[in-house]
Amino acid sequence: DTEVTQTPKHLVMGMTNKKSLKCEQHMGHRAMYWYKQKAKKPPELMFVYSYEKLSINESVPSRFSPECPNSSLLNLHLHALQPEDSALYLCASSHGGGSNQPQHFGDGTRLSIL
Amino acid sequence: ILNVEQSPQSLHVQEGDSTNFTCSFPSSNFYALHWYRWETAKSPEALFVMTLNGDEKKKGRISATLNTKEGYSYLYIKGSQPEDSATYLCAFPSGNTGKLIFGQGTTLQVKP
């Protein structure tokens, strides 16, 4: 069982809806990540939070809004998404934000935009 | 743009066969090289994080080697089992920021 918990597992929403993806870890990790994965492609980084501050935004459209309320939680707020945003959204965490820290992934949220 | 390449793209082996695949990455600005295993319907699982040239790491029947001077890493699986069927991803950090650039992966299918 993964130690990074993502909810919901599946989400179907219309283009005008507002929804949020949630990610939680209790390993004391101080870096958390959002990735987007399209079918048959590798995960692509969206955002990195380090010590609860946004450290990397990979030029993600503003219809995706990340939030890190505390060191254990990471949210991704969604608004006015497009059909091409349908994908698997993975959350990950690591002990620190350095390059030599393995990342621990959740099972992902499968998002479908109608 | 950093280029991380994996080969082969897919591999079908019989149970008991040993196999290996390759990850190629830039040989400059090296910080580390990650290997992950991603089984269908599960989350990616970290196998190894390798940092030193010439390093070799082992986890059960799986091992990995690293050559930072020429920019490649090999992953070996000895005596493949059906439960080894998964996609194996390598990832190259872009700087010391936690940002990982993933290869396209090698999908391994082990037939009983």
Side-chain angles (χ1 to χ4, degrees), chain A residues 2 33 35 37 40 42-43 45 56 58 88 90 97-103 105-107, chain B residues 31-32 34 36 38 42-44 46 49 51 89 93 95-100 102-104:
Chain A
T2 179
Y33 311 80
Y35 288 88
Q37 193 255 337
K40 299 190 185 301
L45 184 68
I56 295 180
E58 286 290 297
L88 180 69
L90 289 164
S99 61
N100 62 348
Q101 299 293 320
Q103 294 185 13
F105 286 82
D107 290 336
Chain B
Y31 287 88
H34 295 225
Y36 292 86
W38 196 357
K42 293 189 177 181
S43 55
V49 178
T51 56
L89 293 161
N96 194 26
T97 60
K99 175 179 176 178
L100 294 179
F102 283 87
Q104 295 289 323

Side-chain angles (χ1 to χ4, degrees), chain B residues 80-108:
Chain B
S80 302
Q81 299 296 306
E83 58 266 30
D84 296 328
S85 298
T87 295
Y88 291 82
L89 293 161
C90 68
F92 184 79
S94 173
N96 194 26
T97 60
K99 175 179 176 178
L100 294 179
I101 307 297
F102 283 87
Q104 295 289 323
T106 293
T107 299
L108 174 67

Side-chain angles (χ1 to χ4, degrees), chain A residues 9-28:
Chain A
K9 291 193 183 302
H10 301 274
L11 179 62
V12 180
M13 59 187 286
M15 289 191 283
T16 58
N17 292 157
K18 285 185 183 180
K19 295 284 185 184
S20 297
L21 309 185
K22 297 186 184 300
C23 176
E24 190 168 0
Q25 58 85 17
H26 295 288
M27 295 178 280

Side-chain angles (χ1 to χ4, degrees), chain A residues 32-94:
Chain A
M32 296 187 78
Y33 311 80
W34 280 116
Y35 288 88
K36 174 181 178 179
Q37 193 255 337
K38 301 281 277 186
K40 299 190 185 301
K41 298 281 189 183
E44 289 185 358
L45 184 68
M46 300 174 72
F47 303 104
V48 180
Y49 272 84
S50 182
Y51 292 84
E52 300 160 51
K53 292 194 187 309
L54 182 65
S55 58
I56 295 180
N57 176 342
E58 286 290 297
S59 302
V60 179
S62 60
R63 57 186 184 267
F64 294 91
S65 175
E67 178 197 19
C68 188
N70 60 57
S71 60
S72 300
L73 292 174
L74 186 65
N75 299 321
L76 187 63
H77 303 298
L78 314 173
H79 174 54
L81 295 195
Q82 303 298 308
E84 61 265 28
D85 297 322
S86 297
L88 180 69
Y89 289 83
L90 289 164
C91 173
S93 70
S94 64

Side-chain angles (χ1 to χ4, degrees), chain B residues 11-22:
Chain B
L11 202 50
H12 295 253
V13 302
Q14 289 294 133
E15 183 176 354
D17 288 351
S18 293
T19 187
N20 66 86
F21 21 95
T22 306

